[in-house]
Amino acid sequence: MSRPVPDEPAGSQPSRPAPGDAGWLPPKPVARAGNVSLMRYLRLFRRDILSAQPARLYRAWMAEFRTPFFTSFLVNDPALVRLVLRERPQDFPKSDRVGEGLRQLLGRSVFLTNGEEWERQRRIINPAFEGGRLRGAFPAMQAAGQAAAARLQAGEVEIEAATSHAAADVIFRTLFSMPIEDRVARRVFDAFGQFQRKQPILTPAAFVPLPRWLPRVPRRGTGRPARVIRRLITELTDERARQIEAGSAPDDLATKIMTTADPLTGRRLAPAEMVDQVAIFFLAGHETSASALAWALYLLACDPQAQARAACEAKAFQAAPDMSSLPQLRYVRAVFREALRLYPPVPMMVREARGRELFRGRTVPRGAQIVLSPWHLHRHERFHDDPDGFDPDRPAGPPDCFLPFSAGPRVCPGAGFAMMEGTVLLAALLARWRFEPVKDAVPVPVAHLTVRSRTGIRLRLRPRGGDDGADGEGGATGNGGTEAGSGGKGGARAREAGPL
Ligand code: HEM
């Protein structure tokens, strides 16, 4: 079966080119080496799903994990990705197990439901994120960006904390027309922070089907913050329901969602359902954007030329910030997109085969877990040139190989919102600040609720003077990197399937 492997830290390796030097590659977790037992795999998995995987998944079309208890397939073949997400999504519903740890917070939110219930929820939610509505969100995003830039201080900064703060601010302003300084908003944000530290979005249970009768024990420390968050959100939605009744509600996302009737049934979301939806908007909406934004800033800090180019655009935009000038931020947007490729905030998604299937000549039994991995697709050696390199100018890869927001009917409803938010926040920060890496502080990506750095992302900030332009960049001082690409045969109990 397997041989044990040392508990290698998924961390930095000494003699890699430093940021700013030719050949520098953004950090990538060291892949698991060699075969491991199921128990060992679960232990590695619990620590971090990224470093628990073998390096061969960056080349394989598909991998099968078969044990006496369960079978899962990680599919990288774009045709299979298309089949599962776009062509026959009804035959691959979201696995119940994905949400096991999240249900106490999210209830029956659209993120966790399936079938008719999910369809009805999406019919109500989708219109709130349509193009025209996004225009209304721009001033809130711009204001949050300015506030975030003003909060930062020169010197060394843990940037993930700052981007979390900024992204939460965007969500509160766009959803409930209140800035993060609001007392209730602040308390929700703090409780989310506590929840997020304890609860990964994917637990081993998502991959290892435990018997249904086995009682599920939520992770210690998650119950209290989940209850606090739900109580505070209930206060917010109750208040909003009163304002809607009185005709004094602001025109924001919460009002739109609470007043939209399902075009098929004519029903609106019940108050309790609204609490579930708001909880997922906060969770899905701020954690993900914060993660991508922090990585984008790290990447720019390590690539002074790219930062200069992005900052130039940002400064020009900030001279007269306006929704209609957003196309001027083309390179800034490309940087955000490249950060989403290298560090997709949702690194893997799990579906369940409703019936027996044949994937690349292999039988997929009913009930098997189907894992779609933006993490591996985005760095796949067959689909992208220089897959581990940072290149905002890279051409779009082949279809269905770039999936930060998933695809098909279950695509992230906030995708357009998030792309605009990422671009606007980056522009606000870059126009005001110059970012540099901190020597020897190389972040190691790990999957918590989203892809974060194991010990935060430390950057050095200097104010960007009026005349330093965005061109004269200071030298990058960081060093090292983590494993970039390659490596190791292995794949304990993970067998590549199909012709390679
Ligand atoms: C960079 C930012 C974001 C990324 C990378 C992202 C990514 C994703 C992904 C990959 C999914 C699908 C998960 C799955 O199928 O298992 C998803 C679903 C979802 N996202 Fe986002 N998201 C982002 C921002 C947002 C924002 C800003 C909102 C709302 C304000 C949002 C709301 C949702 C909701 C409600 C779902 C569940 C949809 C469903 O299952 O039908 N997301 N997101």
Side-chain angles (χ1 to χ4, degrees):
M1 157 151 151
S2 54
R3 73 187 157 73
V5 290
D7 228 357
E8 82 288 339
S12 57
Q13 301 199 337
S15 55
R16 300 267 171 201
D21 291 351
W24 171 76
L25 285 172
K28 177 178 178 182
V30 175
R32 184 193 87 208
N35 290 346
V36 291
S37 68
L38 175 61
M39 289 318 289
R40 172 100 178 102
Y41 177 61
L42 290 181
R43 270 208 308 280
L44 290 173
F45 190 101
R46 201 175 163 85
R47 196 176 66 181
D48 165 40
I49 57 173
L50 303 180
S51 52
Q53 312 302 333
R56 62 165 51 179
L57 296 187
Y58 296 108
R59 290 188 297 275
W61 293 106
M62 179 165 107
E64 180 179 348
F65 302 80
R66 197 179 280 278
T67 79
F69 315 107
F70 69 94
T71 309
S72 15
F73 293 81
L74 185 143
V75 294
N76 281 335
D77 180 343
L80 289 176
V81 171
R82 213 159 26 249
L83 179 86
V84 171
L85 293 179
R86 294 184 197 274
E87 291 167 4
R88 289 176 38 214
Q90 68 287 0
D91 295 330
F92 302 97
K94 221 169 195 183
S95 161
D96 282 354
R97 296 175 185 97
V98 175
E100 275 175 2
L102 296 172
R103 204 148 287 151
Q104 53 179 336
L105 175 64
L106 302 181
R108 302 199 62 78
S109 94
V110 65
F111 188 75
L112 300 178
T113 51
N114 274 312
E116 268 180 33
E117 183 179 12
W118 169 80
E119 282 176 22
R120 181 176 59 81
Q121 291 171 338
R122 284 294 296 240
R123 286 195 298 268
I124 294 175
I125 287 166
N126 284 353
F129 291 95
E130 276 161 7
R133 299 289 307 179
L134 286 188
R135 181 167 288 277
F138 174 78
M141 290 178 184
Q142 177 64 14
Q146 293 308 313
R151 270 193 304 268
L152 289 175
Q153 291 188 346
E156 207 178 300
V157 167
E158 199 292 286
I159 206 70
E160 282 188 339
T163 57
S164 268
H165 200 146
D169 195 14
V170 169
I171 285 289
F172 281 109
R173 287 176 193 259
T174 48
L175 204 52
F176 281 110
S177 302
M178 55 169 59
I180 187 83
E181 284 76 30
D182 179 276
R183 192 183 54 85
V184 180
R186 184 74 227 183
R187 286 174 65 201
V188 175
F189 176 56
D190 291 344
F192 262 103
Q194 287 171 29
F195 186 86
Q196 188 256 318
R197 277 189 287 280
K198 304 277 179 190
Q199 179 63 60
I201 209 156
L202 282 177
T203 61
F207 290 72
V208 185
L210 300 171
R212 295 202 185 270
W213 48 263
L214 204 71
R216 307 308 203 247
V217 184
R219 291 205 173 200
R220 198 143 27 110
T222 55
R224 211 186 94 73
R227 282 192 299 277
V228 170
I229 294 166
R230 290 189 64 87
R231 184 170 46 72
L232 292 168
I233 292 179
T234 306
E235 282 173 22
L236 290 174
T237 49
D238 284 353
E239 170 64 12
R240 179 52 57 90
R242 279 191 289 277
Q243 291 172 331
I244 291 171
E245 191 74 14
S248 60
D251 180 21
D252 52 22
L253 287 177
T255 299
K256 173 73 183 158
I257 293 167
M258 288 173 80
T259 53
T260 299
D262 171 10
L264 285 194
T265 63
R267 269 181 56 201
R268 291 186 188 178
L269 289 179
E273 277 184 297
M274 188 59 196
V275 174
D276 296 344
Q277 309 315 329
V278 171
I280 186 60
F281 291 147
F282 277 129
L283 191 71
H286 104 265
E287 272 302 315
T288 46
S289 297
S291 151
L293 203 56
W295 286 110
L297 289 170
Y298 177 74
L299 290 165
L300 288 175
C302 295
D303 187 332
Q305 279 84 27
Q307 183 174 170
R309 212 171 133 192
C312 223
E313 271 189 13
K315 282 186 140 189
F317 175 79
Q318 291 302 347
D322 183 70
M323 171 91 187
S324 59
S325 314
L326 271 179
Q328 286 175 9
L329 292 173
R330 184 167 311 172
Y331 188 70
V332 174
R333 187 181 161 95
V335 166
F336 189 66
R337 191 177 187 278
E338 180 71 341
L340 287 171
R341 185 186 70 81
L342 284 168
Y343 301 102
V346 181
M348 292 183 203
M349 300 172 277
V350 186
R351 300 292 190 262
E352 193 169 296
R354 185 169 265 167
R356 197 161 164 271
E357 302 282 344
L358 199 64
F359 280 8
R360 296 185 69 84
R362 305 241 166 186
T363 300
V364 175
R366 178 168 175 267
Q369 309 294 109
I370 310 297
V371 181
L372 304 138
S373 174
W375 181 269
H376 291 97
L377 278 169
H378 291 186
R379 290 174 179 258
H380 204 282
E381 293 163 21
R382 295 174 196 269
F383 309 142
H384 309 280
D385 290 337
D386 185 19
D388 295 319
F390 171 56
D391 177 11
D393 288 320
R394 73 172 59 239
D400 294 309
C401 295
F402 177 69
L403 289 178
F405 298 108
S406 186
R410 259 209 121 122
V411 67
C412 170
F417 179 102
M419 284 308 297
M420 183 162 116
E421 172 190 13
T423 308
V424 169
L425 291 185
L426 267 183
L429 299 176
L430 286 168
R432 200 125 152 210
W433 295 99
R434 184 193 298 267
F435 296 84
E436 292 166 9
V438 170
K439 191 166 179 341
D440 292 335
V442 181
V444 177
V446 289
H448 287 302
L449 198 52
T450 51
V451 172
R452 291 303 183 103
S453 158
R454 190 181 290 282
T455 51
I457 298 181
R458 280 158 54 208
L459 296 178
R460 189 173 309 287
L461 268 64
R462 284 197 287 138
R464 205 178 279 285
D467 59 351
D468 72 350
D471 32 3
E473 289 295 327
T477 51
N479 101 23
T482 40
E483 180 194 7
S486 87
K489 294 201 172 164
R493 324 212 68 218
R495 225 169 46 229
E496 285 176 15
L500 297 178

